[in-house]
Amino acid sequence: MPDRPRTRWGVFARPDFRLLWVGETVSGLGNSITVVALPLIAVVALDAGSTAVGLLAGAVWLPWLLLGLPVGAWVDRLHKRPLMIACDLVAVAALVSIPLAAWLDALTFQHLVVVALTCGTAAVCFNTAYHSYIRIVLDGRDLLEGNAKLQGSEAVTQVAGPGVAGLLAQAFGAVTALVADAVTFLVSALCLKRISVVEPDHALDDEERASLRRQIIEGLRFVGRDRYLRPMVTWGAVINMALMGYQAVQVVFLVRTVGLNPAMVGLLLTSGSTGGIVGALVATRVSRRFGTGRGLLLLQAATAPFVLLLPMTTAGPGLLLFAMGAFLVGIGISVANIVVGSFRQTYCPPHMLGRVVATAMMINHSTIPLGSLLGGVLGDAVGYRPAMWIMTGIVAPSWLILAMSPMRRERDLPQTHEPEQAHAKG
């Protein structure tokens, strides 16, 4: 079909995209509140140590390891929007249970873990469907711009969320912040309900009638054999483990080592999200100026080493070290999410997209529980600052994985998949 004429509003000129954007922006605000509120509940209300906080952080991501692959094959067979709405409602019920339990004086750490697992399972199904649904809403066009807009709004909410969570925790207690999060998931469900785009409805072909196991294997093979996807998921697995490793410790580190109150913790954690906003704003420009492949690689090399400023943080002026390091790392991660996500959506065959997304995200996220638990255990075993040094020391050189991939020789990542043998004589 012919392209629609461009307007100064870009993808925002499309009502369905606006609804998707509003819903995801509001729920993103709630998610960023929860990222701070749950550890604060564990540390302040339940007096948990860093091992427990790491276990709690890991529980959110464990469903990716256990369910990611079958969910990817399952989502390829379903309409995406009803599934996403159901996931939002499950998250609402899980989050509301925490303040109810707290008000009844029955809140336990085990309850927090169950909620983290439930929300993590809903996120596996939602995010797998969501990455395929963006392509449907945008008709497969302007995906880089659409992903940049969504990533930008996510980064904005991550700026506001930690600060709001810290202020709410300081004024009313960390448990109260989760009520706001539950409301945001309701808003997301309502926005999804109003989207008018009709998902393609087709009869199952032979491939879709294949067993779930066969479809899972096909997704694994596609990712494992592809010369671009393979290094991307390897890099993603390594950096996610290290990022979550230090993030599992950073709240306890800032509270107990640096000596900050919850409001200051929330404010300081917004620096990384501010970098995410900048990354979303410059992603399209960087990709046009340097190319999607070369621009991604250059930006990772330029930003990742600054993560080593985080463990140098001290009270007073030393807080600027944390803010600067988190800001620059946030830029690099934001651009990577936009470029890699857009690449997958255009590069992968549509009938394989759910499986490829789930396979890539499962591999990327499978190391997050390990990193969270490792960071927490290291914090209790060797101290919070040494644990920060160890985990940030893995992040800093991680860009070398991408440097050893084919993108080091190519300005732009390819738009369509070609069989591996086509590159045999390259």
Side-chain angles (χ1 to χ4, degrees), residues 31-110:
N31 282 331
S32 60
I33 291 174
T34 304
V35 166
V36 177
L38 276 182
L40 282 176
I41 291 171
V43 172
V44 177
L46 301 178
D47 197 29
S50 68
T51 298
V53 173
L55 179 63
L56 184 62
V60 176
W61 300 100
L62 184 61
W64 280 104
L65 178 60
L66 301 178
L67 303 173
L69 291 178
V71 165
W74 181 53
V75 164
D76 274 339
R77 305 180 179 194
L78 299 175
H79 284 175
K80 313 300 184 289
R81 188 176 63 161
L83 174 61
M84 294 162 66
I85 293 173
C87 291
D88 277 338
L89 297 179
V90 168
V92 170
L95 290 169
V96 167
S97 72
I98 292 179
L100 287 176
W103 295 333
L104 294 172
D105 198 25
L107 183 63
T108 64
F109 181 76
Q110 290 78 7

Side-chain angles (χ1 to χ4, degrees), residues 231-232 235 286-287 290-305 332 335-336 339-340 396-413:
M232 284 179 180
W235 169 75
V286 168
S287 297
F290 299 101
T292 52
R294 191 174 300 161
L296 172 61
L297 182 56
L298 289 175
L299 207 55
Q300 294 309 305
T303 59
V335 172
V339 173
V340 172
S398 61
W399 63 273
L400 292 172
I401 298 172
L402 295 176
M404 293 185 288
S405 74
M407 73 173 63
R408 74 180 184 275
R409 297 187 299 268
E410 300 180 12
R411 183 183 188 280
D412 288 296
L413 295 168

Side-chain angles (χ1 to χ4, degrees), residues 68 71-73 75-76 80 128 132 349-359:
V71 165
V75 164
D76 274 339
K80 313 300 184 289
T128 302
S132 298
H351 70 281
M352 288 284 294
L353 185 57
R355 277 168 283 174
V356 171
V357 168
T359 299

